[in-house]
Amino acid sequence: MRTWASWKPFGIGERKPNNYLELWKAFRAVKGNRRYAWRLLTQGTCDGCALGTKGMRDWTMDEVHLCNIRLRLLPLNTAPALDPALLADVSALPAKSAQLRELGRLPHPMIRRAGDPGFTRISWDEALDTIAPRLNGKLGVYLTSRGVPNENYFAAQKAVRALGSNSVDNAARICHSPSTVALKQAIGAAATTCSYTDWIGSDLIVFIGSNPSNNQPVAMKYLYHAKKAGTKVAMVNAYREPGMQKYWVPSNVESAVFGTKITDHFFPVNIGGDIGFLNGVLKHLIENDWLDEAFIADRTKDFEEARAAVESQSWEELEALSGATKAEMYELARLLGEAKSAVLVWSMGVTQHTYGEDNVRAIVNLALARGFLGRDHCGLMPIRGHSGVQGGAEMGAYATGLPGGLPITEEHTRRFAELWGFDLPLTPGLTATDMIDAAHAGELDVLVSSGGNFLEVLPDPAYCREALERVGLRVHVDIVVSSQMLVPGETVILLPAQTRYEMEGGVTETSTERRIIFSPEVKGPRVGEAWPEWKIFTELAARARPELAAKLRYGGTADIRRDIERAVPFYEGIAKLAKFGDNVQYGGRHLPFGTATFAAVGLPRLHRPDGTFLVATRRGKQFNSMVHERVDGFNGATREAVLMSPYDADRLGLPDGTEVELTTASGSLVGKVLRAPLTPGNIQVHWPEGNVLLDKARRSPDAKIPDYNAAATLTRHG
């Protein structure tokens, strides 16, 4: 009873999502394909968040797992083919991707040339023969993480490199690329150091800029069991997320009826104030001698540099930057200092800043100071939001890295040249944001976008639209129509892709906990002439470079897995995965590391002009940029909501529902005030709607991740 959130059965009267209504909506949405939908849920590996359930179970506990994200993806995975005639005149189509998805699946290759009102159907041969000769120009290839398996990523990056380019990037660039940079520098690997089982029984879990209740809802069951085992949960965030205060796990009887209290300690910070707060915590750990001296001496280096950095920072500076008090920093330091074990978890609230790498380094410093690596119930966990994002970078679909996360050096490119039989370029390629910049400057000849939607994902949608219009040839590979496909251009080609469940021979994904999981083909209806993406990319490269065709084409996904195992040694075992439930966790429960490295983390210059608010973009009822509901069940926010603290709303005389306008140098957004438990001086708006406020030029120095935050003025509208 100590963990119960409410005595009211099923939280009647509480504001929370209705998970059972979600089940009913999913049931209704797949009318006509319910048997197939059931097989996807029970026989496939989840293509939602990166927790990686096999069917409706996983490797952490022997209970049923099923989250709303996966249910909401069912209509996409079971949709029938659209009528190609619908695309004959795009002016008649709805403008938003949510409505376009309802048209159905893309069944055939289609083309639109400059001046055409829409798309006409073409054959695969015509499409490939139109694209292939133009791939010798300046090329950019982007793959999103919407269920894309390892095999597609690997084959695509190999094909791009056979074309003489490293300009292949994926969605990891705009979510956890700063984690990749910082973790490689600190421990030599860009992955979580622990497993989900380490949550349950840990003394403490600290969530920093992360909201699993919205983005990884299956994880809430792990937190339920952790709370039952006595684990304390702390949260560092600008917003006291309602779903992280109390949660009703629908598949657990006790939690479904009485709910579960999740967060025990909440630490409010400014948007962008994480380093100030975390450095203050480290400063307290040092001053109070709450250090694991033996671990620091035996397993780390450069601690004195990190110590000197925080000792040089005054409490006044740390408080001003963080928006928190010295006492609040002390409280988290005390919790860490008294804990014998802890897991530190973070997500895009930490990474999507111009100083995202330093944010992660500050987190790593805390774990190293307390020795929270390499043992049970301890670790660093950059929790992933999509099932393909961990594997995407590890497969080498990364402009700045080769398979296995290796840097692009002469030594490493020589190794892959010997393995694959062709030379690789030595110059790093264009990142996702570089591609848009090059396109806007008229310097990109071909853009291939597999899934994704630059109009919704990147800052400054108007700039992205102009960039897309200026590319000579755009190729969109996807299962449904999106708004970026409708942007006119010289030549635009649509290629229909298969879902992971349709691919003959099955595929694999890599979860947040480094578990490589096999997902078999699931028998059911098939759509038109859709191809697996691995075949699309390798066939394009084979036609562009026929002398390499035999080295690029695969006989099936099993061939690709064998190639992956040769190219990425730590993926040993992937070639043997062949049936439902087969998996291998590389590195084991705890990722091995050698000597870990502390970082001297300086304070960023967080400039907020007088009269402005710090604005962050948040996710609501959505998966990536795919919005499922206009109202967030956790806080009642509509998509137009401008979430602000009661203190600020009262100070400015703004009742809930007041229409206001947020303005930055990049653009403006009109919304409606909604009081929320935010740190004063901070505002949150939904993403991607808030992208109009963002400065496209603000990116982190190493990872080049866009900054999804801004300083904005607020005025009454009208």
Side-chain angles (χ1 to χ4, degrees):
M1 290 189 294
R2 63 182 174 79
T3 63
W4 288 3
S6 172
W7 284 88
K8 294 178 286 187
F10 298 98
I12 294 172
E14 300 272 356
R15 184 183 291 283
K16 64 183 183 68
N18 187 329
N19 291 296
Y20 301 110
L21 179 61
E22 295 285 344
L23 283 169
W24 172 245
K25 287 182 177 180
F27 179 77
R28 291 181 59 191
V30 294
K31 184 178 180 180
N33 275 317
R34 287 171 185 156
R35 289 184 179 179
Y36 181 45
W38 180 250
R39 289 197 294 273
L40 297 185
L41 292 177
T42 56
Q43 299 175 20
T45 297
C46 177
D47 59 341
C49 69
L51 274 68
T53 55
K54 55 167 183 175
M56 293 191 286
R57 295 183 180 274
D58 71 359
W59 296 267
T60 304
M61 60 191 64
D62 187 23
E63 292 184 22
V64 170
H65 291 277
L66 182 60
C67 75
N68 294 339
I69 291 174
R70 195 173 181 197
L71 291 172
R72 290 304 185 114
L73 292 176
L74 278 178
L76 281 182
N77 288 317
T78 61
L82 60 76
D83 179 358
L86 292 171
L87 304 184
D89 185 352
V90 299
S91 66
L93 295 177
K96 295 188 176 180
S97 292
Q99 296 164 298
L100 291 169
R101 290 193 296 270
E102 295 175 1
L103 299 177
R105 291 275 301 277
L106 281 169
H108 311 290
M110 304 190 78
I111 191 169
R112 182 188 184 191
R113 295 182 174 88
D116 291 348
F119 293 88
T120 56
R121 178 178 172 179
I122 56 176
S123 69
W124 270 104
D125 277 336
E126 185 179 352
L128 297 171
D129 287 341
T130 300
I131 300 165
R134 301 180 66 171
L135 296 178
N136 59 359
K138 194 160 186 182
L139 170 69
V141 175
Y142 176 77
L143 298 95
T144 187
S145 59
R146 52 104 183 94
V148 176
N150 291 324
E151 290 79 358
N152 284 354
Y153 281 123
F154 185 84
Q157 64 81 31
K158 183 178 177 182
V160 174
R161 290 185 162 110
L163 294 168
S165 174
N166 282 318
S167 295
V168 55
D169 219 31
N170 78 84
R173 178 70 55 193
I174 55 176
C175 58
H176 267 299
S177 51
S179 301
T180 295
V181 170
L183 286 173
K184 279 188 176 180
Q185 291 170 345
I187 61 173
T192 179
T193 68
C194 58
S195 302
Y196 297 126
T197 51
D198 289 304
W199 287 20
I200 303 167
S202 178
D203 288 345
L204 180 67
I205 304 174
V206 184
F207 290 94
I208 309 159
S210 182
N211 180 17
S213 61
N214 254 10
N215 302 318
Q216 298 92 6
V218 173
M220 302 310 289
K221 180 173 279 190
Y222 304 152
L223 287 177
Y224 161 80
H225 284 282
K227 297 293 293 184
K228 295 292 287 185
T231 299
K232 297 295 183 184
V233 174
M235 189 172 188
V236 180
N237 208 20
Y239 181 33
R240 189 187 292 262
E241 296 285 353
M244 291 299 290
Q245 294 303 114
K246 48 190 178 181
Y247 193 90
W248 282 256
V249 178
S251 57
N252 178 276
V253 174
E254 181 186 36
S255 185
V257 175
F258 298 109
T260 304
K261 295 177 184 175
I262 303 296
T263 299
D264 301 285
H265 304 273
F266 176 72
F267 299 97
V269 296
N270 283 328
I271 294 164
D274 305 278
I275 291 174
F277 184 83
L278 298 170
N279 278 11
V281 173
L282 180 60
K283 191 177 176 81
H284 277 304
L285 289 175
I286 293 169
E287 290 181 356
N288 290 276
D289 199 25
W290 287 325
L291 302 172
D292 188 329
E293 300 282 3
F295 181 89
I296 292 171
D298 297 341
R299 302 300 307 275
T300 75
K301 64 179 181 179
D302 296 346
F303 172 68
E304 290 306 320
E305 288 84 347
R307 180 204 294 267
V310 297
E311 286 181 347
S312 70
Q313 297 160 8
S314 70
W315 289 113
E316 290 76 17
E317 289 177 299
L318 297 172
E319 287 183 325
L321 176 62
S322 68
T325 66
K326 177 181 177 182
E328 288 168 326
M329 300 173 203
Y330 175 88
E331 181 60 17
L332 181 56
R334 183 188 64 79
L335 290 171
L336 289 167
E338 293 177 355
K340 293 182 174 60
S341 58
V343 180
L344 306 184
V345 184
W346 70 94
S347 195
M348 289 179 284
V350 164
T351 58
Q352 289 183 329
H353 294 269
T354 52
Y355 37 85
E357 297 92 331
D358 273 351
N359 280 345
V360 177
R361 292 179 184 117
I363 295 172
V364 173
N365 282 348
L366 295 183
L368 298 184
R370 292 290 300 128
F372 291 148
L373 263 74
R375 54 191 177 92
D376 289 355
H377 309 304
C378 295
L380 291 161
M381 181 174 282
I383 194 168
R384 311 286 179 166
H386 308 290
S387 64
V389 75
Q390 182 74 38
E394 290 171 346
M395 293 300 95
Y398 216 49
T400 52
L402 297 167
L406 296 174
I408 300 171
T409 64
E410 187 173 348
E411 176 188 357
H412 294 146
T413 55
R414 188 185 310 117
R415 173 179 176 261
F416 287 106
E418 293 171 355
L419 183 64
W420 293 336
F422 56 81
D423 291 334
L424 279 71
L426 270 169
T427 305
L430 300 175
T431 65
T433 48
D434 291 336
M435 291 175 199
I436 289 297
D437 288 344
H440 196 273
E443 297 172 355
L444 194 67
D445 300 314
V446 181
L447 175 64
V448 182
S449 177
S450 175
N453 190 339
F454 287 121
L455 295 181
E456 296 178 354
V457 169
L458 294 181
D460 200 338
Y463 176 81
C464 292
R465 177 176 291 275
E466 291 171 358
L468 293 174
E469 290 175 343
R470 297 174 185 178
V471 181
L473 171 63
R474 293 203 328 267
V475 181
H476 297 284
V477 185
D478 213 327
I479 63 173
V480 292
V481 180
S482 68
S483 60
Q484 74 169 353
M485 296 177 182
L486 308 186
V487 175
E490 179 187 313
T491 305
V492 183
I493 294 178
L494 311 183
L495 300 178
Q498 293 180 343
T499 71
R500 67 167 57 183
Y501 307 115
E502 296 168 347
M503 293 189 203
E504 185 178 355
V507 292
T508 60
E509 73 161 73
T510 307
S511 74
T512 288
E513 66 172 0
R514 297 171 278 103
R515 193 177 299 277
I516 309 161
I517 311 163
F518 185 77
S519 185
E521 179 186 4
V522 179
K523 298 300 181 184
R526 295 296 180 258
V527 175
E529 301 173 305
W531 278 19
E533 283 156 289
W534 64 262
K535 183 178 178 181
I536 294 173
F537 283 102
T538 54
E539 188 60 26
L540 281 171
R543 294 190 184 207
R545 296 200 62 183
E547 73 278 13
L548 297 180
K551 299 173 181 177
L552 294 171
R553 290 185 173 120
Y554 291 104
T557 57
D559 283 353
I560 304 175
R561 288 190 285 278
R562 285 188 284 270
D563 204 2
I564 291 171
E565 189 161 295
R566 289 189 291 268
V568 186
F570 61 83
Y571 264 59
E572 181 181 0
I574 189 175
K576 296 179 181 178
L577 305 183
K579 64 182 185 300
F580 176 64
D582 282 358
N583 73 97
V584 59
Q585 185 182 26
Y586 76 78
R589 177 173 171 178
H590 303 123
L591 187 67
F593 67 98
T595 299
T597 305
F598 278 92
V601 180
L603 300 182
R605 294 182 178 179
L606 190 63
H607 179 61
R608 182 177 67 181
D610 289 344
T612 63
F613 286 87
L614 293 171
V615 182
T617 49
R618 66 175 285 106
R619 278 64 171 167
K621 189 66 178 174
Q622 63 193 100
F623 176 65
N624 199 1
S625 64
M626 296 166 53
V627 177
H628 298 312
E629 295 281 355
R630 284 191 46 77
V631 179
D632 187 330
F634 286 112
N635 58 14
T638 64
R639 302 301 299 184
E640 298 81 16
V642 175
L643 286 80
M644 61 191 310
S645 74
Y647 171 83
D648 287 326
D650 291 344
R651 176 175 60 86
L652 297 174
L654 300 173
D656 280 357
T658 303
E659 202 166 69
V660 294
E661 183 172 10
L662 293 171
T663 305
T664 69
S666 300
S668 62
L669 176 72
V670 175
K672 295 181 178 180
V673 170
L674 180 66
R675 283 167 168 75
L678 270 157
T679 307
N682 297 265
I683 282 176
Q684 290 192 1
V685 296
H686 280 112
W687 177 90
E689 292 87 345
N691 285 353
V692 294
L693 301 173
L694 306 178
D695 182 352
K696 62 183 178 296
R698 287 178 57 82
R699 299 167 191 169
S700 70
D702 301 318
K704 296 187 179 180
I705 193 171
D707 192 333
Y708 284 87
N709 310 275
T713 59
L714 182 145
T715 56
R716 284 179 180 266
H717 182 65

